Amino acid sequence: MEEAERLRILLIGNGGREHALAWRLSQSPRVDVIYVAPGNGGTASGSLRNVSNISSPKADDFQGLMIFAKEHNVNLVVPGPEAPIVDGIERYVRAAGIRCFGPTKAAARMEGSKAFSKDFMARHRIPTAEYENFNDYEAAKKYLDSLKHNVVLKASGLAAGKGVIIPSSKQEAHDALKNIMLKKEFGAAGNEVVIEEYLEGEELSFLTFSDGYTIKSLPPAQDHKRIFDGDEGPNTGGMGCYAPTKIASKALIDEVHRTILQPTIDGMRKEGFPFVGILFTGLMVTNSGPKTLEYNVRFGDPETQTLLPLMSADTDLAE
């Protein structure tokens, strides 16, 4: 029997997610070494087998990282955060003749532009909230005035998980719209805004492996985005998370796979940007069924820290 290929991994990122990935990957007998750029105290502690941090080149210096990768015989790159993926690191990795666990820049638009992903959902009839996209403030203001239901405002671009505003009144919604589009609270991420219907229910997160055709999800998780106790305060990238969760019955998981996840993967492939990697899908479980809130094109944070320890001891993440 042919021996499995040995892996030398470059892991990009510096958060708890990257610590969890390094911890789990280091347990694989196939993995010889893991370099983390730039890493953190957990990955520098020496407690993880064959894991070390690198401070140079910087995590956004893609060409420098590829020079490092070649010099150290890296044969797998794993980008953790969204920024390098959306900025197209996969193309640099592929051009260097190295495999990348992450999607193309074209596929990463599903996270890089909330307006793009909402239009994708509409084209493929993937359940989601009613919405409109705007890059003109006056048009957005007029639309907001016309609505009778509660809304959610989203800066379309990357805003480190903080670009979603849930106003409690029409005046708060107008103030948020002005802050996003005119005062540039989130910078260029707010050049385009999604105004969508507020959905009632419980949130649920799916992390789904895909080769561009098939899907395999980890157990669904629930995270908490509001900064204060009692579901109060502004949204964050995630204050905490737990799994497994009681609301994720087998019937619900099957429905999500059938009506949301498989149509998403099929739609991306049919439109010419197949998804290869792990797709995070944020959902709201409403009285009328699960509806899609957002896509992330990488391991979720903090979901990864909760889900990887649930893997059985004989499961090799590196595989």
Side-chain angles (χ1 to χ4, degrees):
M1 184 175 176
E2 188 176 341
E3 185 180 356
E5 180 186 9
R6 312 298 302 169
L7 294 175
R8 298 176 63 83
I9 298 172
L10 174 60
L11 173 61
I12 298 169
N14 66 349
R17 164 185 48 214
E18 286 71 40
H19 186 195
L21 286 167
W23 166 76
R24 190 73 211 198
L25 288 168
S26 70
Q27 296 172 32
S28 170
R30 291 186 58 185
V31 174
D32 286 339
V33 65
I34 301 173
Y35 302 104
V36 192
N40 55 48
T43 53
S45 66
S47 62
L48 301 180
R49 182 184 70 88
N50 296 335
V51 175
S52 60
N53 291 348
I54 61 169
S55 58
S56 181
K58 300 297 184 185
D60 58 356
D61 178 6
F62 299 163
Q63 291 184 332
L65 287 171
M66 291 310 97
I67 292 171
F68 174 92
K70 286 187 171 183
E71 289 176 347
H72 292 80
N73 298 315
V74 166
N75 55 10
L76 176 63
V77 174
V78 181
E82 62 273 18
I85 301 175
V86 171
D87 288 342
I89 192 172
E90 184 271 345
R91 178 169 60 87
Y92 287 83
V93 177
R94 184 163 36 86
I98 302 171
R99 283 167 298 181
C100 181
F101 185 78
T104 63
K105 186 174 184 176
R109 290 176 294 175
M110 296 289 273
E111 178 169 5
S113 170
K114 291 181 176 65
F116 177 88
S117 67
K118 290 291 285 190
D119 287 344
F120 174 91
M121 295 177 217
R123 288 195 300 275
H124 294 277
R125 298 181 180 179
I126 292 166
T128 189
E130 293 183 12
Y131 77 100
E132 291 288 345
N133 301 328
F134 296 93
N135 50 32
D136 177 76
Y137 171 72
E138 291 299 330
K141 181 181 175 183
K142 185 176 179 181
Y143 175 74
L144 193 54
D145 275 331
S146 73
L147 297 176
K148 304 299 182 187
H149 55 70
N150 291 336
V151 299
V152 177
L153 279 72
K154 298 180 176 181
S156 182
L158 295 182
K162 300 174 180 65
V164 177
I165 308 296
I166 306 174
S168 57
S169 67
K170 183 64 71 78
Q171 185 57 51
E172 277 191 22
H174 276 292
D175 291 344
L177 184 65
K178 185 179 292 184
N179 288 338
I180 295 171
M181 299 195 79
L182 297 184
K183 296 183 179 180
K184 299 297 181 186
E185 182 178 355
F186 304 113
N191 289 346
E192 188 171 20
V193 168
V194 179
I195 301 177
E196 69 177 29
E197 165 197 15
Y198 175 78
L199 297 176
E200 294 274 1
E202 289 198 53
E203 287 197 43
L204 200 58
S205 302
F206 276 73
L207 285 175
T208 306
F209 292 96
S210 181
D211 58 0
Y213 292 86
T214 59
I215 56 174
K216 187 68 175 179
S217 295
L218 294 174
Q222 284 190 280
D223 78 333
H224 298 274
K225 290 186 167 62
R226 300 280 190 130
I227 196 168
F228 301 128
D229 291 343
D231 207 27
E232 298 289 335
N235 266 22
T236 69
M239 295 299 294
C241 181
Y242 66 91
T245 171
K246 291 181 179 178
I247 68 167
S249 65
K250 184 180 185 305
L252 178 64
I253 293 171
D254 289 345
E255 182 180 1
V256 169
H257 281 170
R258 184 181 71 255
T259 64
I260 295 173
L261 298 178
Q262 192 65 59
T264 296
I265 295 301
D266 291 344
M268 294 177 75
R269 186 180 66 254
K270 290 171 183 175
E271 291 199 15
F273 49 96
F275 186 89
V276 178
I278 190 158
L279 182 70
F280 171 105
T281 307
L283 308 172
M284 186 69 76
V285 182
T286 73
N287 289 334
S288 56
K291 296 190 177 183
T292 310
L293 298 176
E294 65 173 351
Y295 298 111
N296 293 164
V297 294
R298 34 73 188 184
F299 283 95
D301 187 348
E303 289 84 0
T304 300
Q305 296 92 299
T306 301
L307 291 171
L308 292 190
L310 296 180
M311 284 184 165
S312 60
D314 60 350
T315 299
D316 188 341
L317 181 61
E319 288 284 346

